Amino acid sequence: MTSVLIPGGDVESLDEPVGDDERAAAATWRSFRHNPMGLAATVILALLVVVAVCAPLIADYPDGFSSDVLAPPSGAHWFGTDNLGRDLFAEVVWGTRVSLTVGFCASFLAIAIGVAVGLLGAYVPRIDTVLRMIVDLSLSLPVLPLMILVAALAGPSLGTIILVISFFSWPEVARVVRSQALSVVNLPYMDAARVLGGRHGWIVRRHLLPAVAPVITVTVVLTASRAVLSEAGLSFLGLGDPSSWSWGRILYESQQSGSMTSAWWTTFFPSVAILLLVVAATLIAIAYNDARNLRGRDS
């Protein structure tokens, strides 16, 4: 791709990168549509999002208690009830909203920090060594014990869980983005843009960020699913928000009441919800990578 300096000091491309990106996106989508596992996973993830958004229309908020204690699944209670007689189906539905909110918010923060650090390290070699040392040190730390410690010290709340998960998730994002950006930052068109007077912010926004965008797309889905797993783990340990339902809190309530072994439905349905989300996110990432593979697309 060739670039020229136009009056006003901006660098413009002689090619049409936007058109190329649109054609690549269309080709990727065509290939993705022919992957049944990817489409099925997308449908599952979309259904979970719909359940989260429409939770008030699907079930009443699970509050209080009733006399139907630990009732098995039936027509009256599709997923059964817990130790206080609360409807488990309502708990799972409302837990979908909180779990996905934590997953997407924590993923957004982790992606924002990781992408910024990764691009900065790849584009500015003078600080790359320092940033790489910070990332490597962060990845070498025992994440789960530190997450438990920070969450316990900060106090259980939804905001705390989001911040804790995002803080310990961004280093992996930074490493992936930096690795992809390093393969682009020294290409001829990047050198030409710098030599011809392109501003650093413009170069990063116009050339470097689009080059790592596919990696970011996959990382968003995977990071969100891992954030949901982390939230479930922290909530299961009693470090979640006690004022809101999540899949992890349902498991925590089951463990605390002793019904985890005597009433299988109290753990089965929230566990299936977590499994569906993680598997769907993984299959979407795999299908997207396969769709972007030119060899697979040509075959």
Side-chain angles (χ1 to χ4, degrees), residues 167-233:
F167 181 78
F168 288 101
S169 299
W170 71 264
E172 186 173 352
V173 178
R175 169 174 282 187
V176 173
V177 171
R178 174 185 174 274
S179 176
Q180 180 69 16
L182 284 175
S183 64
V184 178
V185 72
N186 291 321
L187 291 179
Y189 74 89
M190 293 287 291
D191 293 333
R194 286 191 289 266
V195 170
L196 294 173
R199 300 182 183 90
H200 296 303
W202 184 90
I203 295 174
V204 171
R205 185 178 66 256
R206 182 71 173 180
H207 296 300
L208 192 56
L209 187 58
V212 300
V215 175
I216 297 174
T217 302
V218 174
T219 306
V220 166
V221 180
L222 293 178
T223 304
S225 66
R226 291 169 185 166
V228 171
L229 278 176
S230 299
E231 185 278 331

Side-chain angles (χ1 to χ4, degrees), residues 118-129 131 182 185 200 204 208:
L119 292 181
L120 192 61
Y123 191 76
V124 186
R126 288 178 296 179
I127 63 174
D128 183 43
T129 302
L131 294 178
L182 284 175
V185 72
H200 296 303
V204 171
L208 192 56

Side-chain angles (χ1 to χ4, degrees), residues 52-238:
V53 173
C54 301
L57 303 177
I58 298 175
D60 296 329
Y61 189 81
D63 199 5
F65 58 91
S66 70
S67 58
D68 295 330
V69 176
L70 294 179
S74 63
H77 303 285
W78 294 352
F79 290 177
T81 61
D82 64 7
N83 62 301
L84 295 179
R86 294 170 297 200
D87 187 69
L88 202 65
F89 175 75
E91 293 179 3
V92 173
V93 168
W94 282 89
T96 304
R97 166 174 284 193
V98 174
S99 294
L100 290 188
T101 299
V102 171
F104 286 123
C105 290
S107 175
F108 176 79
L109 289 176
I111 293 296
I113 299 173
V115 169
V117 173
L119 292 181
L120 192 61
Y123 191 76
V124 186
R126 288 178 296 179
I127 63 174
D128 183 43
T129 302
V130 176
L131 294 178
R132 189 170 68 251
M133 290 177 58
I134 295 174
V135 171
D136 291 341
L137 177 62
S138 300
L139 290 173
S140 66
L141 296 175
V143 175
L144 182 58
L146 287 176
M147 289 177 65
I148 295 173
L149 176 62
V150 174
L153 293 176
S157 69
L158 203 60
T160 298
I161 293 297
I162 292 173
L163 291 176
V164 168
I165 294 175
S166 61
F167 181 78
F168 288 101
S169 299
W170 71 264
E172 186 173 352
V173 178
R175 169 174 282 187
V176 173
V177 171
R178 174 185 174 274
S179 176
Q180 180 69 16
L182 284 175
S183 64
V184 178
V185 72
N186 291 321
L187 291 179
Y189 74 89
M190 293 287 291
D191 293 333
R194 286 191 289 266
V195 170
L196 294 173
R199 300 182 183 90
H200 296 303
W202 184 90
I203 295 174
V204 171
R205 185 178 66 256
R206 182 71 173 180
H207 296 300
L208 192 56
L209 187 58
V212 300
V215 175
I216 297 174
T217 302
V218 174
T219 306
V220 166
V221 180
L222 293 178
T223 304
S225 66
R226 291 169 185 166
V228 171
L229 278 176
S230 299
E231 185 278 331
L234 292 175
S235 295
F236 180 73
L237 295 174

